[in-house]
Amino acid sequence: MTNRDVSAWLAKSPSSSDLQLYVCGIPFNLNSERLASKSAKVSALLKENPHEGLSYFFRDIPSNAETFELVGRFCHGYELQMSTENVIPLACVAHYLGMTESHSSDNLLKKALTFFGQEVLNNWNETIKALRGAENIIFQQALHIGLIDACCESIIAMAQVDPHLLGAPVRPNARRRLFDLDWQSEDLATLSLTLYQPIVHSMKQRGVPSEFLAASICQYAKRWIFPSTHHENGNMSVYERKAVREVIEAVEKLLPNDRGLLPCTFLFEMIRYAIAFEASSDGFEMRIGKQLEEATVKDLLIPSQGYAKEELYDIECLRRILKNYYSNYSSSQISGLFTVAELVEEFLAEVASDIDLKMGTFLSIADMSISASLGTQRNSDGLYRAIDIYLDKHRYLSEVEKEEVCRVLDVHQMSPEACDHASKNERLPLRVVVQVLFVAQLQLRDTITKEEDEAMVSCGEEQVMNEIESMNNKVIELEREYHMMRKEIEHSCSLKRGGKISLWREMKRKFGCITTIHDCNCHQVKKKKKKKVHPRYAK
């Protein structure tokens, strides 16, 4: 009812008014005798203060203008229009004014409570609608006289019998019952946090299935948190940000602890909002750690926050999530270990293209990738791909810095295809290329040996000799590239270091003297060099 409607009805008051009340700033001129006949409080005040205005005594009346309009109509004999939305407000005003049966028969409080019990409490939709009608200035009064608790108890009891009322599980399972509904269930998530939180908490304690609770909580987050995307523009007030932060933290506490009730994508989204609104994200990180193998690379791209952010993505958050994953890992989840290792590799390749990604951060993620691959017997191809992307996007790096980036790469675990690519990769430092050529030589020799053994069994002698000759030609070509690279490195080192030990010798020392490899020519390094003669004295 609008203010114009209220004023129009007041102008048609059937008798002279001697009692004026203000409700939400709107004046009500009511017949004091009619009001006193229904209200024990008004009657008592009029007896004690017959010649004084009573507006002061009703300054805290728990009502809005529309509800008090209905009360006035009732006192003046008009038909009462009661509904689910106004029954709790009417009951609160009737209780405040003492409109009970002991004062007057068939009074307003009895009518409101009868309607409340018969038409509201036994119906899910009507109970939620009635609760929404109490989420204003009458809330404390409704709580005081027990109407809020009655609604909450009714909702909890109905959810215990039919948990589908909370919504369909995000991930249906065998325990879910199927219902053929011909009506639209009112969403519990439309309630304020003040009401929603204690209701769901009680449901958890009373054994309502976790998958249905998770479905309702997910919907609640999507309604009250996800629309807050304009926070990036800084348009939210301090109060609004505080309200969203409270909802984020409440959602995390309400979520059941069962693994896999909600998809990783939802949990990662909650982390993003938690970081943006400065709420705690620990709980969401722990939940993700239990099901990280379900995540995607896009999920891991958590933006850094704050004006002083130096990196595009929050690497420390990923580190904590991985720590939680391994702390929850069991030997029965070996397939998940492979998946997570591949996930971290893909993440590293994704962030490697960030021009602002510092070398130290890249190496930190690379170390995480290596740790994730431990025990999986995975090759280093994914790590090599990420390094190649990083070097391509950060071409300003010096040779020394490039070597530092490549320190995490184990060339011995690269596939033949990756070695072939790396041997021709101009972005790699020479030291790494030489190491790759050496590994490729070893791989080729192993292949030759294996194929010779197989050929001796299945082929004729002439064909075997042809295959051996072909493979030997490949080895010779590879060794030629290998030794050319070695000479380039030795020459480069001699220019930079003078009489210091060459880079090649240092590499040889690092990997051990490789004299057991046939035709490797490592031993030639030990040969005594001819003494150089100045051209002036040459014959």
Side-chain angles (χ1 to χ4, degrees):
M1 183 178 293
T2 64
N3 292 349
R4 180 178 298 178
D5 295 332
V6 174
S7 300
W9 180 81
L10 293 176
K12 298 176 182 179
S13 183
S15 61
S16 59
S17 301
D18 57 4
L19 179 60
Q20 187 178 59
L21 301 177
Y22 286 86
V23 178
C24 297
I26 299 177
F28 283 83
N29 297 312
L30 304 175
N31 184 279
S32 58
E33 293 182 0
R34 289 176 180 267
L35 188 57
S37 68
K38 294 294 185 180
S39 169
K41 185 170 185 175
V42 173
S43 177
L45 288 172
L46 286 174
K47 289 179 182 179
E48 296 174 3
N49 308 279
H51 304 294
E52 297 182 14
L54 300 181
S55 296
Y56 173 79
F57 296 100
F58 293 95
R59 66 187 184 282
D60 296 326
I61 187 168
S63 178
N64 54 31
E66 290 78 7
T67 302
F68 198 76
E69 164 71 2
L70 294 175
V71 175
R73 283 178 172 272
F74 175 78
C75 292
H76 285 77
Y78 286 85
E79 183 179 355
L80 184 63
Q81 298 295 326
M82 197 172 295
S83 67
T84 298
E85 289 78 7
N86 66 30
V87 63
I88 293 182
L90 283 172
C92 289
V93 178
H95 183 272
Y96 177 84
L97 294 175
M99 302 176 75
T100 63
E101 294 302 297
S102 61
H103 181 71
S104 175
S105 61
D106 201 23
N107 214 343
L108 181 57
L109 184 58
K110 178 183 178 181
K111 286 180 175 294
L113 294 180
T114 300
F115 183 91
F116 180 72
Q118 294 178 351
E119 304 296 331
V120 175
L121 287 183
N122 294 324
N123 186 287
W124 175 270
N125 283 1
E126 301 305 307
T127 303
I128 294 178
K129 289 178 184 178
L131 273 178
R132 284 204 301 266
E135 291 181 330
N136 48 41
I137 58 175
I138 67 158
F139 180 79
Q140 290 301 324
Q141 182 74 5
L143 187 64
H144 174 69
I145 64 178
L147 299 179
I148 299 296
D149 287 343
C151 287
C152 293
E153 286 296 320
S154 176
I155 289 174
I156 295 168
M158 285 186 279
Q160 286 179 288
V161 176
D162 289 342
H164 75 286
L165 292 167
L166 294 170
V170 179
R171 296 180 174 183
N173 57 31
R175 290 199 298 158
R176 179 188 175 189
R177 298 188 306 170
L178 299 178
F179 296 86
D180 183 16
L181 301 178
D182 57 359
W183 58 285
Q184 181 64 41
S185 174
E186 196 73 21
D187 193 353
L188 191 66
T190 58
L191 298 177
S192 68
L193 185 63
T194 305
L195 289 171
Y196 183 82
Q197 190 171 13
I199 290 175
V200 175
H201 181 70
S202 295
M203 287 182 180
K204 286 179 65 176
Q205 293 181 324
R206 301 190 192 184
V208 174
S210 297
E211 60 266 33
F212 294 97
L213 288 174
S216 177
I217 296 168
C218 181
Q219 288 302 316
Y220 197 83
K222 290 179 179 179
R223 181 181 181 87
W224 296 98
I225 301 174
F226 287 16
S228 306
T229 53
H230 63 290
H231 72 274
E232 297 177 357
N233 300 325
N235 295 328
M236 297 189 75
S237 66
V238 174
Y239 172 79
E240 289 173 324
R241 289 183 62 84
K242 181 176 182 293
V244 175
R245 182 163 59 248
E246 289 176 350
V247 175
I248 292 172
E249 294 180 347
V251 163
E252 194 285 316
K253 289 182 175 64
L254 289 174
L255 280 174
N257 292 323
D258 308 52
R259 178 183 182 276
L261 290 177
L262 294 171
C264 259
T265 299
F266 169 80
L267 297 174
F268 271 104
E269 195 68 17
M270 290 300 300
I271 283 184
R272 290 182 177 89
Y273 280 101
I275 294 174
F277 286 90
E278 299 177 328
S280 172
S281 63
D282 295 351
F284 296 113
E285 291 173 5
M286 292 183 65
R287 295 175 189 279
I288 291 173
K290 296 178 180 179
Q291 57 188 81
L292 182 58
E293 67 276 5
E294 301 174 5
T296 65
V297 174
K298 185 178 179 180
D299 292 331
L300 301 185
L301 300 176
I302 303 171
S304 295
Q305 298 292 329
Y307 296 106
K309 63 181 182 181
E310 297 181 350
E311 306 291 351
L312 189 60
Y313 302 109
D314 193 331
I315 306 304
E316 289 306 311
C317 183
L318 174 59
R319 193 188 305 278
R320 292 192 299 269
I321 290 173
L322 282 170
K323 183 178 179 181
N324 285 321
Y325 172 76
Y326 290 116
S327 65
N328 287 281
Y329 171 77
S330 65
S331 57
S332 62
Q333 300 169 318
I334 185 64
S335 60
L337 197 63
F338 281 91
T339 303
V340 170
E342 183 177 358
L343 180 66
V344 179
E345 276 186 0
E346 292 176 359
F347 173 78
L348 180 61
E350 181 71 24
V351 300
S353 60
D354 176 16
I355 192 64
D356 296 321
L357 187 67
K358 294 183 177 180
M359 185 174 69
T361 305
F362 177 83
L363 292 174
S364 175
I365 306 172
D367 286 334
M368 284 192 280
S369 175
I370 294 171
S371 298
S373 298
L374 290 177
T376 63
Q377 302 300 318
R378 288 174 53 80
N379 60 39
S380 299
D381 290 9
L383 186 58
Y384 166 68
R385 174 173 170 265
I387 290 173
D388 186 38
I389 294 173
Y390 187 79
L391 294 179
D392 182 46
K393 297 297 181 180
H394 301 76
R395 300 198 175 193
Y396 56 83
L397 295 177
S398 67
E399 190 75 4
V400 174
E401 289 173 326
K402 290 180 180 180
E403 290 182 1
E404 179 65 16
V405 169
C406 294
R407 71 168 174 78
V408 294
L409 180 63
D410 186 351
V411 296
H412 292 82
Q413 293 186 6
M414 291 171 61
S415 68
E417 294 77 15
C419 284
D420 180 63
H421 183 277
S423 66
K424 305 169 187 175
N425 192 343
E426 296 180 355
R427 288 185 286 271
L428 294 176
L430 291 177
R431 179 200 295 266
V432 176
V433 174
V434 170
Q435 292 176 359
V436 169
L437 287 170
F438 172 67
V439 171
Q441 187 182 26
L442 294 182
Q443 292 176 344
L444 188 55
R445 288 185 177 279
D446 289 342
T447 302
I448 291 174
T449 301
K450 182 179 179 180
E451 291 185 357
E452 285 178 358
D453 292 341
E454 293 176 352
M456 291 297 292
V457 175
S458 58
C459 303
E461 181 177 350
E462 182 178 355
Q463 185 176 352
V464 170
M465 296 305 297
N466 290 335
E467 289 293 333
I468 292 176
E469 182 179 359
S470 175
M471 296 301 289
N472 282 334
N473 290 335
K474 292 181 181 180
V475 172
I476 293 172
E477 180 63 27
L478 185 60
E479 289 180 344
R480 183 181 297 114
E481 294 181 18
Y482 172 62
H483 293 305
M484 287 178 62
M485 294 298 297
R486 188 190 71 181
K487 289 179 180 180
E488 289 183 22
I489 291 179
E490 288 181 336
H491 178 67
S492 176
C493 270
S494 64
L495 294 177
K496 291 182 180 179
R497 304 183 183 181
K500 294 183 179 179
I501 299 176
S502 70
L503 181 60
W504 170 250
R505 288 190 173 229
E506 176 62 20
M507 190 177 74
K508 176 174 174 290
R509 182 196 62 77
K510 181 176 180 180
F511 287 97
C513 184
I514 321 172
T515 54
T516 56
I517 304 299
H518 179 65
D519 275 342
C520 180
N521 293 329
C522 283
H523 60 281
Q524 293 181 4
V525 177
K526 295 182 179 180
K527 289 184 178 180
K528 184 176 180 180
K529 295 183 180 179
K530 294 182 179 180
K531 184 177 180 181
K532 292 185 178 180
V533 181
H534 194 279
R536 181 178 176 181
Y537 302 104
K539 293 183 179 180

